[in-house]
Amino acid sequence: MRQVAFFGDSKRIRNNVTVFDTTLRDGEQTPGVSFTRDEKVTIAHQLSDIGVHAIEAGFPASSADEKGFVREIISEGLESDICGLARATRADVEACADCGVDIIHVFIPTSEVQRVHTIRKTHEEVVDITRSVVGFARDHADQVMFSAMDATRTGMAELTEVYRAAVDAGATILNVPDTVGVASPSSMKKLVSGLADALACPLDVHCHNDFGMAVANTLSAVEGGASQVQVTVNGIGERAGNADIAQTVMALESICGIRTGIRTERLVETSRTVSRFSGISVGPIQPVVGENAFAHESGIHAQGVLADASTFEPGIMTPEMVGHRRRLKLGKHVGRHAVARMLTDAHIVVQESELDEIVAQVKEVSNRGRKVTENDLYEIADMVIGGAGVEKIIVLHDIAIINGNHIMATATVRASVNGKETVCCRIGNGPVDAAMKAVVGIVPEKLVLKEFSVSAISGGSDAIGHVSIAVEDAQGSIYDAGASSDDIVLASAEAMINALNLVYRLKKGE
């Protein structure tokens, strides 16, 4: 039975919350991140497809390219409303209106520190500008959002006065930004509750993660009366980022029982798309979408989830709900139940005595400080049972590399696939890249290399290196593999061969 634990007892909690995504804008404000035009369009489609209600596509007044991009997004005919950002100037509002956006988002600094040092205006001047520009925006759009930038560091009386001026001028929603991430959940709830009591206008919240409380502050804002939340994919944004869409949505849906309309089963897919485009990897312990979010190593944990997943998982959030998969991990704490299940899933039959030996060897490898992959497990099983139960679908015969400072790296691979010899040649950005592309090219399975690392097992220039990789298949499942050699190119190719064998072995029954 699904259990829902509402946080708090506030009567302000709603049945539905609107999701407003600012990934396209905040991602571009993240140092080192610059999406291409095609990547932006792909992200916009992905956000619309998963049910995001509104997308802030950009800042049209900032450049001709930005204005052109916002127009392009609007021409895509997405289900989501498209929002354009505007400073509190008529020129910025006109730039948004020229694009034909559904929502014009007007902002102006309201805290003393920002008023004095960024726009050099008095509080009275800010109120007058707000009234004038929001009214002008309302003449050009049916939906106008107004943000009092740095709201959480603005005095309550001044903040309420600015917001009231915006409402009187025609604002349809008020955004409460925690611009530098200094709010706490209790202070955010108090602030939003006070504004909800004082203003007859829907409230939206935009939280930054400087102290790691963006998601918690967003949830508290909903408890205080906010009906819309601003989020970004993977929490990307300025400095420490913003409230993460996956964490926010799943907390609202699973813990609070609030409907968002987001297709949660596509959250992992969305996270990986933005990670690939932004170049910012998602850490393994990232909540909801990280590789370890539903991974278990400890013997008692693995035994528990095999019997009933809710023993060591939330239960109200399952991997299937977010497009993830449950993983049993190998390490020094692994138990017999987990190893037995992994071998069974790979169609490897072992005796009880052999299982004990396999578990012991897995722990021995892990105790030497080395990551143990699923492929390592099958190699260990192969040795213990004498090769009687481990089938290798792909066998590498030869690999030839051509490389030089004036030559494009080229790799040619000869291998057997289900007993049939296959040859593939690929070029790459260096010999390792070429070798791995050539290996992947010998099979129809589409795999994406997610992780690649090399560690030295011995010292000296002739050291033996160990290559560890993680690959992702078309369904989003991740597979770990590795190989060791004194030739890193060969080790990389063999690691990919091991990964391919792993994928086909685990899919054998499908």
Side-chain angles (χ1 to χ4, degrees), residues 240-306:
N242 297 61
D244 172 70
I245 186 173
Q247 296 170 41
T248 303
V249 164
M250 292 313 299
L252 288 170
E253 295 264 355
S254 298
I255 297 177
C256 310
I258 297 174
R259 294 185 296 275
T260 63
I262 299 298
R263 297 176 182 87
T264 62
E265 69 277 3
R266 298 187 65 182
L267 287 172
V268 170
E269 168 195 339
T270 304
S271 168
R272 289 174 179 167
T273 297
V274 173
S275 175
R276 186 168 71 253
F277 291 163
S278 66
I280 299 176
S281 60
V282 175
I285 60 171
Q286 177 96 343
V288 184
V289 299
E291 282 310 310
N292 286 355
F294 298 94
H296 308 274
E297 176 187 322
S298 167
I300 190 171
H301 283 229
Q303 182 178 353
V305 297
L306 289 174

Side-chain angles (χ1 to χ4, degrees), residues 3 37 82 131 194 204 206 224 284 322 326 329 348 387 406 431:
Q3 298 176 343
R37 204 176 190 87
I82 304 302
R131 185 178 292 109
D204 167 277
H206 178 97
V322 299
R326 185 171 294 109
K329 303 285 282 186
I348 299 173
H406 297 297

Side-chain angles (χ1 to χ4, degrees), residues 108-116 148-155:
I108 191 169
T110 57
S111 68
E112 182 178 2
V113 65
Q114 289 202 357
R115 280 194 296 99
V116 170
M149 193 159 75
D150 209 15
T152 53
R153 293 195 296 179
T154 304

Side-chain angles (χ1 to χ4, degrees), residues 400-479:
I401 305 292
I402 300 175
N403 189 42
N405 60 338
H406 297 297
I407 301 173
M408 179 72 75
T410 306
T412 303
V413 167
R414 183 172 66 88
S416 293
V417 181
N418 282 321
K420 182 180 179 180
E421 188 169 294
T422 303
V423 176
C424 182
C425 181
R426 291 287 188 272
I427 60 173
N429 185 22
V432 170
D433 184 46
M436 299 185 85
K437 286 179 177 176
V439 170
V440 172
I442 66 176
V443 295
E445 183 74 29
K446 291 184 178 180
L447 295 178
V448 176
L449 182 65
K450 300 294 292 183
E451 297 177 15
F452 178 90
S453 63
V454 180
S455 58
I457 296 177
S458 59
S461 59
D462 59 348
I464 294 175
H466 182 78
V467 173
S468 297
I469 67 171
V471 297
E472 179 184 357
D473 67 10
Q475 290 72 45
S477 295
I478 303 291
Y479 303 87

Side-chain angles (χ1 to χ4, degrees), residues 20 80 156 167 207 211 239 269 280 324 328 394-395 463 475:
F20 183 104
S80 306
M156 189 63 173
V167 173
C207 296
F211 285 91
R239 305 183 311 280
E269 168 195 339
I280 299 176
H324 223 317
L328 299 175
I394 304 163
V395 179
Q475 290 72 45

Side-chain angles (χ1 to χ4, degrees), residues 71-87:
R71 280 177 169 162
E72 183 175 350
I73 290 296
I74 292 169
S75 71
E76 292 291 314
L78 304 178
E79 291 294 321
S80 306
D81 283 342
I82 304 302
C83 176
L85 186 66
R87 292 164 297 191

Side-chain angles (χ1 to χ4, degrees), residues 82-84 93-94 96-106 133-145 169-173:
I82 304 302
C83 176
V93 169
E94 286 174 340
C96 288
D98 287 345
C99 294
V101 297
D102 301 297
I103 307 168
I104 297 178
H105 180 186
V106 176
V133 176
V134 169
F136 183 72
R138 193 68 171 85
D139 291 337
H140 290 79
D142 291 334
Q143 300 180 69
V144 175
M145 176 187 290
T172 57
I173 190 163

